[in-house]
């Protein structure tokens, strides 16, 4: 038996929503798990590039052994029903750039769990899978939209359960995703964050996150302009993303742009704007990165409303 699951990319944080907000984007990984007939073959993991995840987007950094997050996800699910995985061929068709803050690890965790659960006859329901996935990833902001699609706010409670609600992204707001040719691992990007933050910074983010939710509900672009700020992670990560300072400065006085934020832990950047002059916005980022000898892939994308889905491969 063989099961394939197609899972969207995600962008997390989106300004003030550190570890809380995330949004699915129309780039995909497909995880296929196949039971093999030869006993003793163990778990064989393969990665194939699909479209955007070209050589320069570093597929070789995905571990293919028991350190693989896919292996861990499958093992955890099998162990939860008292079994061990064996004789499985896992193939990841990768269309999401790796280590760029676009949820590639969340997508393979979600894909692997859904596929393995299907192979096992569905011992876990969706909420249980979501909770296992967040436990593995360590935070719910990429996992939840990868699983359910759309723009989502989520939390993982002390008992491990995940609470989430979808928000509706205003259809006339554009999301421009700017992916540089350099990687930034989430581990490194999290290692620069302080363990504690000043109370005034926590209050600043609480205020902006409340504004964000109200801004999307009421499609209030002026409120969104105030909301797309952060003091919990961006100030510490600025130095890890070359050109980010200049790019943010360039957009400060651009009336079309509501905000420019780090996508997840980086290295990609999101520019949120109205739908006028999108080419100018793309060129602005491209020009700054090109002047720093950084190649990039820049696309204006819509929100992917579908989450992970079982597909025929
Ligand atoms: N919220 C996470 C972070 C997303 O910023 O570290 C990356 O996994």
């Amino acid at each position: 038996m063989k099961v394939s699951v197609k899972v969207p990319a995600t962008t997390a944080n989106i300004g003030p929503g550190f570890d809380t907000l995330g949004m699915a984007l129309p780039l995909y990984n497909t995880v296929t798990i196949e039971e093999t007939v030869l006993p003793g073959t163990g778990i064989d993991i393969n990665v194939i590039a699909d479209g955007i995840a070209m050589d320069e987007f570093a597929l070789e950094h995905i571990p293919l052994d028991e350190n693989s997050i896919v292996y861990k996800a499958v093992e955890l699910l099998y162990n939860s029903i008292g079994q061990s995985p064996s004789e499985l061929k896992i193939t990841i068709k990768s269309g999401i750039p790796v280590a760029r803050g676009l949820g590639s690890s969340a997508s393979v965790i979600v894909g692997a769990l859904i596929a393995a659960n299907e192979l096992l006859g569905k011992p876990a329901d969706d909420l249980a899978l979501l909770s296992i996935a967040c436990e593995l990833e360590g935070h719910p902001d990429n996992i939840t939209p990868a699983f359910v699609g759309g723009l989502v706010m989520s939390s993982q409670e002390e008992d491990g359960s995940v609470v989430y609600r979808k928000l509706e992204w205003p259809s006339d707001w554009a999301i421009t995703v700017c992916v540089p040719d350099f990687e930034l691992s989430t581990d490194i990007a999290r290692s620069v964050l302080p363990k504690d933050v000043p109370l005034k910074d926590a209050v600043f983010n609480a205020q902006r996150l409340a504004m964000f939710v109200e801004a999307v509900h009421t499609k209030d672009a002026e409120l969104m302009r105030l909301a797309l700020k952060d003091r919990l992670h961006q100030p510490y990560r600025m130095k890890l993303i070359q050109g980010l300072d200049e790019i943010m400065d360039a957009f400060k006085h651009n009336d079309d742009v509501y905000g420019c934020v780090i996508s997840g832990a980086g290295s990609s950047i999101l520019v949120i704007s109205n739908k006028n002059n999108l080419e100018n916005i793309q060129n602005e980022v491209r020009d700054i990165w090109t002047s720093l000898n950084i190649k990039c892939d820049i696309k204006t994308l819509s929100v992917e409303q579908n989450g992970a889905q079982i597909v025929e491969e």
Side-chain angles (χ1 to χ4, degrees):
M1 192 180 168
K2 166 173 149 179
V3 181
S4 296
V5 181
K6 182 177 170 189
V7 192
T10 49
T11 180
N13 302 326
I14 322 179
F18 179 70
D19 279 4
T20 304
L21 291 174
M23 179 157 63
L25 297 171
L27 301 169
Y28 308 91
N29 279 347
T30 304
V31 180
T32 301
I33 306 189
E34 194 172 354
E35 287 166 323
T36 58
V37 282
L38 292 174
T41 45
I43 296 187
D44 177 27
I45 304 175
N46 302 281
V47 182
I48 321 169
D50 182 20
I52 188 173
M54 306 167 283
D55 283 347
E56 60 201 280
F57 288 126
L59 294 179
E60 69 269 19
H61 295 299
I62 302 178
L64 301 180
D65 54 13
E66 60 280 3
N67 293 317
S68 158
I69 197 76
V70 174
Y71 183 99
K72 287 185 183 146
V74 171
E75 191 178 43
L76 208 64
L77 186 69
Y78 273 72
N79 290 348
S80 74
I81 57 161
Q83 294 188 26
S84 297
S86 60
E87 282 81 51
L88 295 178
K89 180 173 179 201
I90 304 179
T91 307
I92 302 165
K93 207 162 94 187
S94 173
I96 304 176
V98 177
R100 300 299 196 289
L102 291 172
S104 77
S105 81
S107 80
V108 294
I109 291 173
V110 167
L113 282 173
I114 294 176
N117 193 48
E118 197 71 18
L119 280 181
L120 288 168
K122 291 201 172 181
D125 64 16
D126 283 353
L127 280 178
L129 291 180
L130 192 54
S131 159
I132 297 173
C134 290
E135 205 58 53
L136 267 169
E137 172 95 336
H139 32 86
D141 49 342
N142 283 113
I143 293 284
T144 314
F147 211 111
V148 303
L151 166 64
V152 191
M153 53 180 169
S154 51
S155 73
Q156 189 164 28
E157 300 300 296
E158 275 175 16
D159 65 359
S161 61
V162 175
V163 176
Y164 73 87
R165 292 291 182 275
K166 283 193 174 187
L167 302 170
E168 198 185 327
W169 185 254
S171 58
D172 50 0
W173 292 3
I175 305 150
T176 299
V177 181
C178 313
V179 186
D181 66 356
F182 58 87
E183 297 174 23
L184 179 50
S185 85
T186 300
D187 287 348
I188 292 174
R190 286 187 88 86
S191 74
V192 300
L193 302 182
K195 284 205 169 41
D196 301 296
V197 294
L199 182 62
K200 64 177 177 17
D201 290 349
V203 170
F204 180 93
N205 267 61
Q207 292 167 338
R208 267 75 203 162
L209 186 51
M211 289 179 193
F212 183 105
V213 173
E214 179 64 5
V216 298
H217 269 145
T218 57
K219 307 181 189 348
D220 183 339
E222 288 318 306
L223 192 62
M224 193 62 166
R225 235 183 254 284
L226 296 173
L228 286 171
K229 306 217 161 49
D230 166 77
R231 287 194 186 161
L232 297 184
H233 77 110
Q234 294 193 166
Y236 308 100
R237 289 171 166 167
M238 292 296 290
K239 58 179 184 290
L240 302 176
I241 303 175
Q242 258 181 293
L244 179 56
D245 253 338
E246 292 94 310
I247 293 168
M248 282 184 167
D249 271 353
F251 287 133
K252 266 188 193 141
H253 307 291
N254 183 328
D255 287 345
D256 294 316
V257 174
Y258 308 151
C260 172
V261 297
I262 299 176
S263 176
S267 54
S268 298
I269 296 174
L270 283 193
V271 185
I272 294 168
S273 67
N274 61 33
K275 290 191 170 166
N276 305 329
N277 305 314
L278 288 171
E279 214 169 306
N280 290 349
I281 290 173
Q282 296 190 0
N283 288 339
E284 188 89 63
V285 179
R286 191 174 292 108
D287 289 350
I288 291 173
W289 268 338
T290 304
S291 73
L292 296 167
N293 279 325
I294 295 166
K295 284 192 240 153
C296 55
D297 189 6
I298 300 180
K299 289 189 167 66
T300 300
L301 300 173
S302 51
V303 182
E304 170 55 88
Q305 297 299 344
N306 291 315
Q309 288 179 327
I310 293 178
V311 291
E312 295 290 327
E313 270 291 296

